[in-house]
Amino acid sequence: MVWGVFSRHCLESLVRTPNSLNAIWYIELLGDHLHPFMLSCYPHGNGVFQQYNCTSHKYRLAPGWLNEHSSDFSVKFGHLEAQT
């Protein structure tokens, strides 16, 4: 399984993950890959991280980690509406 983050402005490398992603692994991905990516691509804190409701996203640790870093980027769950 692979995990990755991208935007129309930047692209991060794909990361190989275990077939079963647990809470600790997911938090490590967020800290090691998502956070630096968002700070680099969106230094003014105007980036939006979108995630779906898969099991690893629902762990209690993940929303807590995302809330701690909410000043660096926004978090949206589910589908984003197209911007015109």
Side-chain angles (χ1 to χ4, degrees), residues 13-27:
S13 299
L14 292 176
V15 178
R16 184 179 289 256
T17 65
N19 288 338
S20 179
L21 192 61
N22 65 28
I24 302 301
W25 238 105
Y26 186 59
I27 296 300

Side-chain angles (χ1 to χ4, degrees), residues 46-58:
N46 59 342
V48 177
F49 174 59
Q50 178 184 354
Q51 67 176 9
Y52 296 98
N53 292 324
C54 75
T55 304
S56 60
H57 297 172
K58 294 180 185 178

